[in-house]
Amino acid sequence: MSRVNPPLPPPDPVAAERPPAGRPSAPRAKRRRATLLMLGLAAVLLAAVATFWTAQVLAGREASAGYEAALQRWETPSEEAARATELAGAIADFDEELDGARTLSEVLPEALAGTESKAALAAAVTSGAEARDALGETGAEGARLPPHAVAPESVDGLRKATAAIEAALASRERAQRNAEESLRTVTQQRETLAAAADAARSALVAGAATQAEPLTSASPEALQALADASNAASTSPLPGAAAAAAALVAALDKVRAEHDAAVAAAEQKTAERVRSAATADDPASITVVVNKQRPFNPIDWEPGDLRTPAGIPNTNGQPVRGEAATALESMYAEASAAGLPFTITSAYRSYAYQTSLFDSYVARDGLAAAETYSARAGYSEHQTGLTVDLDDGSGCTLESCFGETATGQWLRANASRFGYILRYDAGQEPIVGFIYEPWHFRYVGAAVSEDMRSRGIVNLEDYFGLPPAPTY
Ligand SMILES: [Zn+2]
């Protein structure tokens, strides 16, 4: 039988290249080379990573140091910084003053302060505003507070933050270097503005005083309020100057309103007086005016309401008209309560009685002398029934010394409250036609007697606008 030989293995391509025996086989060498290659690559990679990492750390430190240095520079105080702080304060004040002056300039009444001071203030405000605009934010920039600094985490962030601080620093330092000069500008502008405002306020206060001068009929309270407002307007700081000026104008308006109202009321009274004067001719009127130019019409007129005042000593028992009697009784009660009772020595005298009285005086002293103290019949106020001669028993009966007695003084001071006037006061003879008669009181009603007193008018002729009557 035949035996088949196994086939030969195929030729080994690797083995074919394998070195001869005694040297490493070809696959192992290959593996070693690969390993070495890998190791080399790893080393290179490691070195690169290490280098990169070191660079990163160094850069981080540098950026951090730069950031810290910038912050430190920001926080280090300097002389210029102090100046800048001062400037910032001055600018803030200037802003307020400028605002106040601008408002004052707007509300300042030209009618009070005058055109000139108003224009000067407006000019100062304009020039101040221009200077302020030129200054910009100098003061605030120079005195700016540090930015809120939180160190960023990344190097890039640190660098950006540092740059921002550096930029702010540069801007702040520029501003601080300019602060001193700017401060001079601001100070000068503030002074200019204050001077213009002071002049305007002085003009305003003076103008108000001038306008208030003739307004004498205003109440003391309103005049005092005006004085206070003037004072406030002169002294208030600029930011409040406009309000103070407005208050002054309001106070002046109040004074004017009160004065005008008082004048209107006085005019009303004058009108009433004129109406009363219309009755000065009427013998029945309590305001009838009888003097040497104004006899009774009819000459022997007689009142119809005569009565004897109650409870008052009355030498001749003469009566007066009812209204005058009632008023006299009140006056007597008060005078008595004051310890100064008086006596009626003469009251109503009829035309017939006056005729005989005057004739007896002429017979005794002559016509010229008699006419200085006694009236012709038909010309005597005693015929009105509104007139009394009073005495206090001190020996000055119908004598000028009665005016010096306590009773005479009391009557002079108080009669007007009861509607009586001292008809023939001292020095009035050229108007009233009679010498000083401090005992002779005439009833005219309290409205007229008090009005005369408040106006300082002492005779009926002036009060009613009638001509003087020195002679017949
Ligand atoms: Zn008399």
Side-chain angles (χ1 to χ4, degrees):
M1 305 260 279
S2 81
R3 184 175 168 195
V4 178
N5 284 336
L8 286 170
D12 182 357
V14 176
E17 289 168 22
R18 211 171 274 160
R23 293 163 60 195
S25 64
R28 280 187 64 194
K30 215 173 175 182
R31 276 199 303 275
R32 253 179 89 185
R33 276 203 306 276
T35 306
L36 283 173
L37 189 65
M38 290 295 283
L39 279 173
L41 279 171
V44 166
L45 195 65
L46 259 176
V49 166
T51 305
F52 176 75
W53 187 76
T54 307
Q56 282 293 98
V57 167
L58 287 177
R61 279 188 188 159
E62 192 193 348
S64 180
Y67 176 79
E68 291 299 328
L71 267 187
Q72 174 131 23
R73 275 178 62 205
W74 185 273
E75 281 157 14
T76 305
S78 69
E79 205 175 305
E80 287 82 3
R83 201 49 104 183
T85 304
E86 193 185 336
L87 174 63
I91 286 179
D93 289 344
F94 185 41
D95 284 341
E96 281 188 36
E97 288 160 1
L98 204 52
D99 258 4
R102 185 181 288 113
T103 318
L104 174 63
S105 164
E106 283 159 7
V107 306
L108 198 67
E110 205 168 291
L112 293 180
T115 314
E116 207 174 303
S117 74
K118 192 172 166 69
L121 179 59
V125 167
T126 304
S127 106
E130 280 166 5
R132 177 63 184 88
D133 286 348
L135 283 168
E137 294 298 318
T138 307
E141 174 70 11
R144 213 163 70 176
L145 292 173
H148 179 65
V150 175
E153 307 247 325
S154 74
V155 171
D156 196 38
L158 272 170
R159 281 180 178 144
K160 279 181 180 160
T162 305
I165 296 172
E166 294 279 1
L169 259 168
S171 152
R172 192 178 77 172
E173 279 165 7
R174 266 196 313 277
Q176 287 181 349
R177 276 196 302 276
N178 294 331
E180 184 143 8
E181 198 189 325
S182 298
L183 190 57
R184 271 199 297 276
T185 307
V186 171
T187 305
Q188 193 190 353
Q189 287 295 337
R190 287 178 68 189
E191 282 168 3
T192 305
L193 192 67
D198 282 350
R201 288 187 292 180
S202 293
L204 172 68
V205 168
T210 304
Q211 293 205 2
E213 204 179 340
L215 307 177
T216 48
S217 296
S219 70
E221 291 76 18
L223 290 168
Q224 183 58 50
L226 177 64
D228 292 345
S230 291
N231 194 39
S234 306
T235 56
S236 77
L238 253 185
L248 172 57
V249 172
L252 178 62
D253 285 347
K254 188 163 195 305
V255 165
R256 184 177 289 113
E258 283 197 5
H259 172 82
D260 290 350
V263 167
E267 278 167 1
Q268 169 105 17
K269 277 201 168 177
T270 302
E272 283 163 12
R273 255 165 51 199
V274 169
R275 282 197 293 278
S276 297
T279 64
D281 296 335
D282 177 4
S285 163
I286 59 164
T287 54
V288 64
V289 179
V290 176
N291 60 32
K292 290 178 178 176
Q293 295 289 315
R294 300 173 59 84
F296 281 89
N297 181 21
I299 196 83
D300 59 351
W301 181 83
E302 287 181 16
D305 57 343
L306 295 169
R307 75 172 175 85
T308 306
I312 308 176
N314 192 330
T315 310
N316 297 305
Q318 290 170 345
V320 289
R321 290 180 61 184
E323 188 178 341
T326 304
L328 194 64
E329 286 158 1
S330 297
M331 185 157 78
Y332 182 78
E334 263 200 42
S336 298
L340 302 166
F342 51 77
T343 303
I344 301 169
T345 59
S346 185
Y348 169 68
R349 298 201 294 259
S350 68
Y351 176 78
Y353 183 86
Q354 185 69 19
T355 303
S356 64
L357 190 65
F358 185 73
D359 287 350
S360 72
Y361 290 145
V362 173
R364 189 184 69 190
D365 297 331
L367 180 66
E371 287 199 330
T372 64
Y373 60 85
S374 184
R376 292 179 191 172
Y379 293 81
S380 170
E381 257 202 340
H382 284 274
Q383 194 179 323
T384 62
L386 300 168
T387 298
V388 288
D389 290 340
L390 304 177
D391 186 35
D392 67 345
S394 64
C396 282
T397 309
L398 307 183
E399 298 278 350
S400 63
C401 62
F402 179 72
E404 310 305 316
T405 65
T407 303
Q409 296 279 317
W410 189 93
L411 288 169
R412 168 186 282 277
N414 294 281
S416 68
R417 291 195 287 114
F418 303 94
Y420 279 88
I421 60 165
L422 199 168
R423 178 68 173 101
Y424 307 129
D425 206 345
Q428 300 300 304
E429 194 177 350
I431 297 166
V432 301
F434 290 93
I435 57 167
Y436 176 42
E437 293 192 4
W439 61 84
H440 181 113
F441 287 87
R442 158 71 193 273
Y443 182 77
V444 290
V448 171
S449 60
E450 290 285 68
D451 192 33
M452 287 177 72
R453 185 177 184 81
S454 72
R455 289 163 193 273
I457 299 174
V458 299
N459 64 67
L460 291 175
E461 286 77 7
D462 285 349
Y463 187 72
F464 287 125
L466 301 170
T471 56
Y472 293 103

